[in-house]
Every structure is written in C-alpha cells, then in structure tokens.
Amino acid sequence: MSRGRQSMGAMSALAAVGVMLTAQTALATGLQRRTQDPERLAPFGLMLDASAPEGAGLSLSFRPTRMVRLHVGGTHNGVRPGARVGLTLLPLKGRLTPALTLEAGHARPANGEGLERRIVDRTQMPIHSFERVGYSYASALLGFEWQAPRRLTFFVRGGFSIMRLYSPGIVGVDEQFRDALEPGGFHGWSLSNIEPTAKLGILLSFG
C-alpha cells in the first residue's frame, strides 16, 4: 500500500514537472514567434518614396493583418503639395515578397493670391502656368518588397496611373497681373489620360 502511494506520488510529480516543462516550452515558443513576427512586433511604419506623378512622398502606414498594409500621407511634386491614400496586398511570407499597391491622390491648383505673390517676387521661378494646374489620380502598381534587418523594408513598384489634370483659369488673379501670364491660361480646362508610373521607396517599421 505504501509502495503504491509512493509510486502514485512519483508519477504525479513527474506529470507535474512534465506539464510545467510543456507550458514553459509553449510560452517560450510563443514569445519567440512574437519576437520574430514583424507584423506583431511593428504594425506601424514611416514610408518615404519617390515616384511619378506624385514626386516625393512621406506616409504613415498601418498593417492590420499580415497580408494588408494601409498608408496615408502627403506628396510634393516640386510645384505644390498633395495628399494620398493607399493599400498594399502582400500575399506571401518571407524577406522577398511580391506586392500589389492601389493608391489615390489629389493636388489642388494654386489660388490667385499665390500667383500674385510669385509674379511680384521676381526671385521665384516663373512657373505660373504649372501652378494653375491641379490633378487627381488613381494608380495600380505591381512590385517586390525586401525586408532587411533593423525593421527596414525596401520596395520597387511599377504600373499605371489614371490622371485627370485641370485648371480653373485665372479668374482669381487681379487684372494688373494678367499680362504676366500666358494667354492660354485665361480659360479653364481639364484633361484625362493614362500614364506609366514607377516608384522606389523605403519603409521603417515601429510599434
């Protein structure tokens, strides 16, 4: 009887030790997965890129799932700032993965006061006609992303953009400044076309 109790006690102790070791192993495995999983460790990011037609862009990104990344930010094409939103689909795991990106953006034309300041200030570049052109676009791009160490991701993409260029004319500019503008800029117009686009960039993940 005593030997049976001792055997049962030893088996219970061994079972308890086994459960503790199993739990410790599972916990260590879970922590290791979370440490090695960039989606859990760093869902947010700061993205810097250069492309056409947007120019230079700076965006904040958020990755709610492994396959989806959202971003929103601003752009500047050398003439005026703009804004954009987009999403990237990442179907595969690994350091090198294909990516599909869809984006939409907009940049408003300069107002009459901004044109007048540029005309009066002769030290500024004479790009009055370009300042009166605004645009909206929607882009679809295919490319690759490479996840480097230290939470850096480099990407290259190419595709096409559907663009709508427009100008409201110069009704907002005073009469004394109209002689400094091209005659073709007096009337409003719009133009839609499809253009190829390419993009290079880097993403720093954090969070």
Side-chain angles (χ1 to χ4, degrees):
M1 190 73 174
S2 175
R3 291 182 179 179
R5 290 180 179 178
Q6 290 178 356
S7 299
M8 292 181 62
M11 293 178 63
S12 299
L14 289 175
V17 171
V19 170
M20 292 177 61
L21 291 176
T22 302
Q24 184 178 5
T25 302
L27 180 60
T29 302
L31 291 174
Q32 183 178 9
R33 287 179 178 176
R34 283 194 292 269
T35 303
Q36 295 178 350
D37 190 350
E39 300 151 32
R40 288 180 175 270
L41 187 62
F44 301 97
L46 186 64
M47 184 170 65
L48 177 64
D49 58 76
S51 66
E54 302 150 279
L58 181 64
S59 301
L60 291 174
S61 69
F62 173 63
R63 193 168 181 175
T65 68
R66 181 186 65 81
M67 297 181 60
V68 178
R69 182 193 300 124
L70 308 174
H71 64 267
V72 58
T75 60
H76 202 292
N77 63 358
V79 179
R80 74 185 58 77
R84 70 177 178 191
V85 296
L87 67 88
T88 298
L89 302 178
L90 303 163
L92 302 178
K93 288 185 177 181
R95 289 194 175 275
L96 182 63
T97 176
L100 170 64
T101 300
L102 303 176
E103 287 184 337
H106 177 72
R108 297 180 60 183
N111 55 27
E113 294 180 359
L115 272 180
E116 291 177 3
R117 286 195 299 268
R118 184 173 289 277
I119 294 171
V120 171
D121 187 357
R122 299 298 182 181
T123 63
Q124 300 189 50
M125 295 178 62
I127 51 177
H128 316 132
S129 59
F130 291 104
E131 286 189 350
R132 292 300 288 169
V133 177
Y135 60 88
S136 300
Y137 64 90
S139 303
L141 305 101
L142 284 173
F144 292 93
E145 295 193 358
W146 178 62
Q147 295 183 9
R150 298 185 180 181
R151 300 185 180 182
L152 293 177
T153 300
F154 298 90
F155 58 84
V156 56
R157 302 166 184 162
F160 66 91
S161 298
I162 301 175
M163 297 193 63
R164 176 181 174 267
L165 305 174
Y166 70 95
S167 173
I170 59 171
V171 293
V173 179
D174 290 345
E175 188 70 29
Q176 57 178 326
F177 298 109
R178 295 196 177 192
D179 293 338
L181 300 175
E182 293 82 355
F186 291 137
H187 306 287
W189 54 269
S190 64
L191 174 65
S192 298
N193 63 338
I194 299 177
E195 294 186 0
T197 182
K199 179 175 296 189
L200 294 172
I202 185 173
L203 172 69
L204 173 62
S205 301
F206 60 90

